[in-house]
Amino acid sequence: MKKIFMVEFEMPEIFTEEFVALIPRQRYIINQLLAKRIIHSYSLAGDRSRLWVVINAESEWEVMDILGQMPLNDFMKPNIHELMFHNSAEAVLQFSLN
């Protein structure tokens, strides 16, 4: 059974050239995971100190496998939390008046 996990990353204080060069590939992978609904959301703090990802997975081990696909994973320290639920506007049914 799928569970929902919130992953909070501590971002590096300095974004090296190597880190910045991997950002386009990171965005590509994230977009693929969003399209497959493996990732529900992906958010970066305004000061770029933290990154939050909500992931749909069977276990914390699967979350780690998903994170391993991300090119920037080696530069960030993840803290994984299993959630009881995750509400979002896109999860609410939208009714058409037509």
Side-chain angles (χ1 to χ4, degrees):
M1 185 167 111
K2 295 284 185 180
K3 301 175 184 176
I4 301 172
F5 295 87
M6 168 72 76
V7 182
E8 180 181 33
F9 290 99
E10 291 181 38
M11 300 296 285
E13 290 184 27
I14 298 172
F15 289 8
T16 63
E17 287 182 34
E18 182 183 6
F19 181 93
V20 172
L22 291 172
I23 291 174
R25 180 75 180 144
Q26 174 86 1
R27 291 299 307 161
Y28 176 80
I29 297 295
I30 293 301
N31 287 339
Q32 295 295 311
L33 294 170
L34 284 164
K36 293 176 184 174
R37 299 196 182 273
I38 294 169
I39 289 180
H40 289 268
S41 62
Y42 184 78
S43 304
L44 179 65
D47 65 2
R48 298 180 182 176
S49 64
R50 300 219 181 271
L51 177 73
W52 298 276
V53 183
V54 176
I55 298 176
N56 202 22
E58 295 279 341
S59 66
E60 192 169 326
W61 290 109
E62 185 180 354
V63 171
M64 294 301 292
D65 286 342
I66 293 165
L67 298 179
Q69 297 176 39
M70 298 179 188
L72 297 177
N73 190 49
D74 291 338
F75 295 89
M76 305 181 297
K77 300 174 188 171
N79 292 305
I80 301 170
H81 308 277
E82 184 177 341
L83 301 178
M84 181 63 67
F85 61 87
H86 175 69
N87 290 340
S88 66
E90 56 194 39
V92 177
L93 293 175
Q94 300 291 325
F95 294 99
S96 172
L97 297 177
N98 293 331

